[in-house]
Amino acid sequence: MRRGWNGRFLSGLLGVAALTLNGAALAQNAVDIKPSPQQTEWQDLEFGVILHFDTNTFLDREWGDGTASPQVFNPTQFDPDQWMKAIKASGAKYVVMVAKHHDGFCLWPTGQTDYSIKQSPWKDGKGDVVGEVAKAARANGLKFGVYLSPWDRHDPRYKDPVAYDKYYNAELEELATHYGDLVEFWLDGAGSTGRTYNFPKIIETLRTYQPNTIVFADTALFEYGDARWAGDETGKIEYQNWNVIDRHGYIRWRPVEVDTPLRKLHWFWHPNDEASLKTVDELLDSYENSVGHGGQWMLGVAPDNRGLLPDSDAKRLRELGAALRQRYGNNLLKEHVRTDENVSRALDGDPDTFWSAPAGSHSATLVVDMPTPITFDHALTMEWLTEGQQVLQYRIEAWQGGQWKPLVSSYAIGHKKIDQFAPVTAQRIRLNIMTSAGEARIREFQVFSLDGQTK
Ligand code: FUL
């Protein structure tokens, strides 16, 4: 259900102010909660890809039931470097490899079960998909992470929670110790409704070897997540996006991740399925409603039964990257009249520098003068989040006919916000921060003319 922009969310956020944690007389205000350095580093990546490739790929399946023979896994042209070249060109900054999906088949030569690539004809059972993918990702400048499904439809130990937790923990230890730094660990709740895992132990193991990994955990696993699920797989954030979320009294910085596949509704590759490939317009719409709403975008990409990305998918990823560069590569405010160094820091295209509102302020304006009038229809703003999410309400305005005309009036900026409006021509433009919890810090304020471009 779509929720409109209104004041209810804002008052809800401020209402968290008197929250009492664990019965202690410690009041915590949502706006005082800050991200960890690992979370801001991860949020800066903005766009990742999740890779699904296992026996399902060879059997035209989405959710394997755990009965597939390892013999079916036999890609004849396995080339993760080919995947990574296309993924890199899309603009993604990291990949998450599904090391074990719900069918229980392990894509690395685990010592914990025989149900793995060791039993497959691929490389005579001597290959390591996870290892080769990790290597190819890093060789192409992409960070690497893993997904390990808690729900396991193959392993007989699944019936015994104690034995299975031990098994899962041992699998995780292998993944956490053999494949270098993991940028993200995907904890999927699918299929696990009603099941209790020993997550305190599992997360302790993970943190022992991977202290900096970002744990993505969906709704039921809120205690363990450094990042949260958007709530569906449509590829859009359809609500005001605040990073600080209260779940049953656990109030934490939990940025949202939006997972959605490149082919509609399909995480694994299926034959004769090209019609489900999303168009560039659909992908841009998803990007603008995920990254452009302060979230992380996790696009599902699936190699085929040869072990290659289909040409159509590789081409679409390249087209996506080109479209993103074309749309957001030319900030019209860059050539502004330089009168104030503080203002210039928000317009320089460098997200490591930022404009600061006056110390202690709760409202402020960032005014930009241009040498000549410009026409624009999109704005991109980014907050410096290290000290927390400060901007509560803002407007983007153009000076016209002797007064400031609001183009956008909205809540929450966060990591990145992309706003669209009817084309306007102006020589003075401002970001009007109507309300901020503490002083606002703006990494980037950019405007674009995208009228007539793809989409
Ligand atoms: C879901 C799974 O059930 C899908 O098969 C897929 O892996 C997706 C990324 O997460 O929960």
Side-chain angles (χ1 to χ4, degrees):
M1 194 177 66
R2 198 179 175 90
R3 280 175 269 194
W5 300 110
N6 59 40
R8 277 179 301 161
F9 263 79
L10 181 62
S11 55
L13 178 85
L14 297 174
V16 179
L19 189 84
T20 304
L21 277 178
N22 299 330
L26 170 70
Q28 250 187 324
N29 196 326
V31 296
D32 292 334
I33 306 286
K34 298 178 176 52
S36 68
Q38 294 92 332
Q39 284 172 314
T40 48
E41 195 181 331
W42 177 83
Q43 286 187 267
D44 278 352
L45 300 175
E46 294 185 352
F47 170 18
V49 156
I50 185 161
L51 292 158
H52 287 75
F53 178 60
D54 81 353
T55 55
N56 290 339
T57 309
F58 299 81
L59 296 170
D60 198 6
R61 286 183 186 160
E62 271 295 300
W63 275 12
D65 60 7
T67 60
S69 163
Q71 290 298 315
V72 302
F73 187 84
N74 194 15
T76 49
Q77 299 174 56
F78 179 75
D79 183 5
D81 193 61
Q82 182 256 2
W83 319 352
M84 297 309 158
K85 294 248 163 3
I87 292 167
K88 180 78 181 173
S90 74
K93 299 286 189 292
Y94 65 106
V95 297
V96 169
M97 179 72 207
V98 174
K100 179 186 83 165
H101 201 243
H102 311 322
D103 59 0
F105 185 74
C106 297
L107 275 294
W108 78 104
T110 175
Q112 310 305 321
T113 175
D114 286 342
Y115 198 53
S116 79
I117 46 162
K118 279 201 292 192
Q119 298 292 319
S120 79
W122 180 64
K123 298 198 170 179
D124 291 328
K126 300 208 166 44
D128 180 355
V129 172
V130 174
E132 288 200 38
V133 172
K135 203 165 149 226
R138 295 195 177 107
N140 283 280
L142 295 160
K143 290 180 186 287
F144 179 75
V146 292
Y147 164 122
L148 182 68
S149 174
W151 184 33
D152 190 315
R153 304 177 85 184
H154 175 85
D155 200 276
R157 283 165 283 194
Y158 194 71
K159 289 189 210 77
D160 174 351
V162 174
Y164 180 74
D165 281 343
K166 206 163 159 246
Y167 168 61
Y168 185 91
N169 199 64
E171 287 187 307
L172 178 60
E173 189 166 329
E174 289 179 355
L175 292 171
T177 53
H178 284 82
Y179 300 107
D181 285 346
L182 301 177
V183 62
E184 181 172 334
F185 177 68
W186 237 78
L187 209 43
D188 192 351
S192 292
T193 308
R195 171 80 175 218
T196 307
Y197 301 93
N198 188 358
F199 279 124
K201 170 71 183 154
I202 289 164
I203 298 301
E204 189 179 291
T205 301
L206 178 67
R207 293 258 181 253
T208 302
Y209 303 110
Q210 297 283 340
N212 297 318
T213 196
I214 293 297
V215 176
F216 166 88
D218 80 1
T219 343
L221 309 175
F222 61 87
E223 285 172 60
Y224 309 98
D226 301 307
R228 70 184 203 274
W229 190 43
D232 61 34
E233 293 173 348
T234 59
K236 295 181 184 187
I237 301 171
E238 309 238 44
Y239 41 77
Q240 285 176 31
N241 182 17
W242 304 100
N243 285 284
V244 177
I245 295 293
D246 169 19
R247 288 250 169 97
H248 304 233
Y250 289 84
I251 180 168
R252 275 197 64 193
W253 187 274
R254 285 192 190 90
V256 66
E257 183 183 295
V258 178
D259 63 315
T260 195
L262 180 61
R263 291 188 181 205
K264 280 172 209 154
L265 305 173
H266 289 166
W267 294 99
F268 283 92
W269 177 81
H270 299 269
N272 308 314
D273 183 40
E274 279 70 26
S276 71
L277 194 56
K278 288 178 183 164
T279 63
V280 173
D281 280 4
E282 286 169 328
L283 293 167
L284 290 174
D285 194 45
S286 182
Y287 172 89
E288 282 161 11
N289 283 287
S290 54
V291 176
H293 278 182
Q296 197 90 345
W297 196 32
M298 183 57 97
L299 188 64
V301 169
D304 63 19
N305 55 358
R306 299 169 302 167
L308 294 172
L309 280 193
D311 291 347
S312 54
D313 300 44
K315 182 165 171 274
R316 190 53 40 88
L317 289 171
R318 291 198 164 85
E319 289 167 351
L320 168 65
L324 286 174
R325 284 191 296 279
Q326 192 194 9
R327 282 173 87 74
Y328 297 106
N330 183 26
N331 170 24
L332 299 176
L333 298 185
K334 205 162 182 183
E335 303 311 324
H336 59 284
V337 178
R338 276 164 205 281
T339 45
D340 180 344
E341 255 317 295
N342 191 22
V343 168
S344 292
R345 282 185 212 114
L347 314 174
D348 58 5
D350 177 356
D352 290 334
T353 62
F354 55 87
W355 166 88
S356 300
S361 63
H362 297 286
S363 63
T365 55
L366 191 171
V367 183
V368 186
D369 284 302
M370 297 300 292
T372 52
I374 55 166
T375 302
F376 57 101
D377 49 33
H378 279 68
L380 181 157
T381 42
M382 290 177 80
E383 255 188 274
W384 180 260
L385 294 176
T386 309
E387 297 300 322
Q389 186 167 357
Q390 304 292 346
V391 178
L392 303 177
Q393 193 175 6
Y394 70 97
R395 280 191 192 151
I396 293 169
E397 299 171 330
W399 182 253
Q400 281 194 327
Q403 56 182 338
W404 286 107
K405 178 186 169 195
L407 309 174
V408 170
S409 185
S410 192
Y411 296 92
I413 292 179
H415 174 72
K416 187 172 273 185
K417 187 74 178 284
I418 296 176
D419 290 302
Q420 186 181 353
F421 37 84
V424 65
T425 303
Q427 199 169 344
R428 290 196 100 188
I429 298 124
R430 77 175 183 184
L431 174 62
N432 183 357
I433 294 159
M434 318 275 293
T435 323
S436 61
E439 68 242 31
R441 295 179 182 87
I442 301 297
R443 298 169 88 177
E444 284 303 310
F445 177 42
Q446 310 185 347
V447 303
F448 306 90
S449 173
L450 303 183
D451 206 21
Q453 286 197 24
T454 321
K455 215 183 151 234

